[in-house]
């Protein structure tokens, strides 16, 4: 079996773009004859069972090499842990406020930890396995891409770059947009193999690097479902309260959130069938703003909010909901990428309502039998919500999984890419 060095700062437990995609590739690569050696960020444990699981999953025996010690979420709390999983810095909840303010106590950052220790971990892997046949590097952030270029030059190994978003449009600690733009161009024009998850992102790069990158330089490998494992992860969380609506806020500004909640309140007011149910759970976004506008627009409705910090609980909420709504802000990424949780919901055969730009998420939602509307068209939003609820009440409430999200298609494309990189 060939060995592929798998560099991903986004690998679980991270909840950054590309996390679920990286995890799915690692599960499926052995079926293609490749053994992934994963250089992953430090893991987070929420309880004792989580600590036991993390210790067993992250070891040389299964090819997962962590760049930091196991983080105990109990020391940080859910909101600070959420910051860690979004690639930001956080201090333990027990730390002295004075020491945090004066800078005497440095915060924990899983991305910075990966950047500092990845090279030493890679060196250990190569020494243990003598060599690797190829390198997979996912970005953004840029650290894994730069490291892959350096390793390829040193060891003469081909690289498969997996770009899940534009590099120079993402927030990166300590990096200027101009530096990120140079790294992105260096990757796109490196001569190594490039793949992206959506056609929209491929077209974005081709237009941006016209004359420097061609159609044949960039491959598309869609995100995919790989079986029951996609939906089982939340099954043990029976304690998660059933809710009638789960709303995921993705790259949504406070202004956009206010607009959505005012429209949604009108929908709730006229949709008598939703009254008396368990309520609404918001995931992600600004918790204070969610609470503020929930009190203003839906004072009689039970609204819960939680930060993005636990994949299992998010999946459990989606499964138990009558409606799953994803609100996308007017951010460039909304027109280029497909959020992980949209794929997860479709893998559960859940129909999705996308409120936001008409990008990959809205297109695949409609393709699966769901609904979409622009946030700035209030009547269209209400119509989409009404249609989804009416559809859920009927006999045809399950989504039809698009063929392009099947594992067979994605793995066929990935197999072609790997063969192209290492011809027999």
């Amino acid at each position: 079996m060939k060995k592929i060095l798998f560099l991903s700062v986004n690998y679980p437990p991270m909840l950054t773009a590309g996390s679920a995609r990286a995890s799915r590739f690692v599960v499926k690569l052995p079926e293609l004859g490749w053994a992934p050696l994963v250089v992953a960020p430090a893991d987070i444990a929420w309880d004792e069972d989580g600590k036991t699981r993390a210790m067993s999953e992250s070891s040389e025996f299964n090819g997962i090499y962590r760049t930091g010690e196991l983080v105990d979420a109990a020391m940080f709390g859910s909101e600070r842990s959420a910051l860690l999983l979004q690639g930001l810095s956080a201090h333990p909840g027990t730390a002295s406020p004075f020491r945090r303010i004066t800078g005497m106590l440095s915060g924990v950052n899983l991305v910075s930890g990966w950047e500092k220790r990845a090279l030493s971990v890679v060196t250990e892997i190569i020494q243990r396995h003598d060599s690797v046949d190829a390198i997979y590097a996912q970005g953004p952030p840029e650290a894994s891409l730069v490291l892959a270029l350096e390793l390829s030059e040193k060891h003469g190994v081909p690289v498969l770059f997996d770009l899940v978003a534009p590099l120079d449009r993402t927030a990166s600690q300590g990096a200027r947009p101009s530096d990120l733009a140079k790294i992105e161009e260096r990757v796109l024009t490196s001569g190594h193999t490039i793949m992206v998850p959506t056609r929209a992102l491929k077209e974005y790069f081709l237009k941006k690097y016209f004359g420097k990158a061609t159609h044949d330089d960039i491959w598309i490998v869609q995100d995919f479902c790989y079986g029951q494992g996609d939906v089982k992860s939340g099954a043990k969380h029976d304690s998660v309260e059933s809710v009638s609506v789960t709303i995921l806020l993705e790259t949504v500004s406070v202004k956009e959130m206010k607009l959505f909640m005012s429209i949604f309140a009108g929908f709730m007011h006229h949709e008598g069938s939703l009254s008396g149910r368990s309520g609404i759970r918001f995931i992600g976004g600004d918790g204070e703003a969610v609470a503020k506008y929930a009190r203003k627009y839906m004072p009689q409705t039970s609204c819960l909010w939680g930060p993005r910090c636990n994949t299992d609980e998010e999946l459990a909420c989606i499964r138990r909901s009558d409606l799953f709504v994803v609100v996308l802000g007017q951010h460039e990424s909304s027109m280029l990428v497909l959020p992980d949780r949209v794929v997860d919901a479709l893998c559960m055969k859940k129909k999705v309502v996308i409120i936001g730009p008409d990008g990959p998420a809205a297109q695949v939602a409609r393709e699966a039998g769901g609904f979409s509307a622009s946030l700035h068209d209030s009547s269209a939003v209400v119509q989409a919500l009404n249609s989804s609820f009416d559809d859920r009440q009927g006999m045809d409430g399950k989504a039809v999984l698009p063929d392009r999200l099947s594992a067979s298609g994605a793995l066929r494309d990935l197999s072609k890419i790997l063969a192209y990189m290492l011809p027999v």
Side-chain angles (χ1 to χ4, degrees):
M1 186 172 284
K2 297 182 179 67
K3 296 184 286 287
I4 184 166
L5 184 64
F6 198 96
L7 307 178
S8 175
V9 187
N10 301 314
Y11 194 81
M14 301 300 286
L15 291 173
T16 44
S19 173
R21 178 177 173 86
S23 178
R24 290 179 172 119
F25 282 148
V26 168
V27 170
K28 285 298 187 179
L29 276 168
E31 296 182 15
L32 304 179
W34 289 81
L37 305 172
V38 186
V39 181
D43 206 349
I44 287 184
W46 297 93
D47 50 31
E48 290 302 320
D49 289 343
K51 292 178 183 179
T52 302
R53 173 200 56 76
M55 295 299 290
S56 64
E57 289 183 357
S58 301
S59 70
E60 62 179 284
F61 299 106
N62 56 26
I64 308 295
Y65 300 82
R66 298 285 179 180
T67 56
E69 299 296 326
L70 182 65
V71 176
D72 186 352
M75 295 180 61
F76 290 84
S78 61
E79 292 193 28
R80 291 192 181 94
S81 296
L83 294 177
L84 293 177
L85 298 179
Q86 295 296 330
L88 303 175
S89 298
H91 294 86
T94 55
S96 163
F98 174 76
R99 295 181 68 191
R100 292 201 299 264
I101 293 172
T102 58
M104 294 173 63
L105 182 68
S106 58
V108 174
N109 187 296
L110 302 186
V111 174
S112 296
W114 194 98
E115 293 173 347
K116 292 175 182 177
R117 294 200 57 198
L119 180 57
S120 62
V121 172
V122 167
T123 301
E124 293 175 8
I125 291 174
I126 292 178
Q127 289 176 347
R128 183 171 296 154
H129 294 273
D130 295 329
S131 64
V132 295
D133 299 289
I135 300 171
Y136 166 97
Q138 187 188 73
E142 76 282 0
S144 58
L145 309 179
V146 174
L147 178 58
L149 287 169
E150 295 172 352
L151 293 171
S152 176
E153 184 176 348
K154 180 178 180 180
H155 299 283
V157 179
V159 180
L160 171 56
F161 287 111
D162 185 16
L163 300 181
V164 297
L167 199 64
D168 61 350
R169 294 292 188 270
T170 57
S172 182
Q173 296 180 353
R176 296 178 300 180
S178 58
D179 293 333
L180 294 175
K182 291 177 182 178
I183 295 172
E184 182 183 275
E185 182 173 1
R186 184 183 171 194
V187 169
L188 265 296
T189 59
S190 65
H192 289 291
T193 306
I194 311 291
M195 71 176 181
V196 295
T198 67
R199 181 166 300 279
L201 190 55
K202 175 174 179 173
E203 292 173 352
Y204 169 87
F205 284 131
L206 289 177
K207 182 177 179 180
K208 185 174 182 179
Y209 295 100
F210 181 76
K212 298 180 179 180
T214 68
H215 177 82
D216 293 335
D217 293 330
I218 304 175
W219 300 66
I220 301 173
V221 177
Q222 303 270 1
D223 290 326
F224 60 93
C225 303
Y226 59 85
Q228 291 301 312
D230 283 88
V231 300
K232 277 186 176 179
S233 57
K236 65 181 181 179
H237 289 265
D238 292 333
S239 61
V240 175
E241 183 182 359
S242 178
V243 295
S244 65
V245 183
T246 294
I247 300 172
L248 175 63
L249 303 172
E250 284 265 2
T251 63
V252 178
S253 68
V254 172
K255 183 178 179 180
E256 290 168 330
M257 184 192 307
K258 178 181 178 182
L259 175 60
F260 170 76
M261 293 186 74
S262 65
I263 299 172
F264 189 78
F267 162 73
M268 290 286 290
H269 178 72
H270 291 96
E271 185 51 75
S273 299
L274 282 177
S275 60
R277 299 203 176 196
S278 299
I280 305 168
R281 176 179 287 273
F282 292 90
I283 300 174
D286 186 320
E288 292 184 2
V290 169
K292 174 183 176 180
Y293 294 122
R295 288 192 300 268
K296 178 177 180 179
Y297 294 113
M298 296 177 285
Q300 304 302 319
T301 304
S302 173
C303 294
L304 303 174
W305 174 83
R308 301 211 58 193
C309 60
N310 192 311
T311 297
D312 288 351
E313 290 188 1
E314 288 184 9
L315 296 179
C317 285
I318 294 170
R319 182 183 302 102
R320 293 166 180 257
S321 299
D322 293 318
L323 297 181
F324 177 49
V325 182
V326 179
V327 185
L328 300 172
Q330 293 292 331
H331 189 275
E332 186 177 45
S333 63
S334 298
M335 293 298 298
L336 300 174
V337 302
L338 183 60
D340 288 340
R341 289 296 169 266
V342 174
V343 177
D344 291 327
L346 295 177
C347 293
M348 297 178 193
K349 302 296 180 68
K350 280 276 187 180
K351 291 188 177 180
V352 184
V353 181
I354 302 294
I355 306 301
D358 190 26
Q363 293 161 14
V364 77
R366 294 194 300 269
E367 189 177 341
F371 308 90
S372 68
S374 168
L375 176 58
H376 298 281
D377 186 342
S378 59
S379 60
V381 172
V382 172
Q383 182 179 353
L385 293 168
N386 275 321
S387 298
S388 181
F389 183 72
D390 292 343
D391 182 77
R392 183 71 178 86
Q393 294 296 97
M395 300 299 293
D396 191 30
K398 290 188 176 181
V400 178
L401 189 67
D403 290 340
R404 60 191 175 100
L405 292 185
S406 68
S408 59
L411 294 179
R412 182 174 59 250
D413 293 337
L414 183 58
S415 180
K416 290 179 181 178
I417 293 174
L418 294 171
Y420 172 79
M421 291 174 61
L422 290 177
V424 178

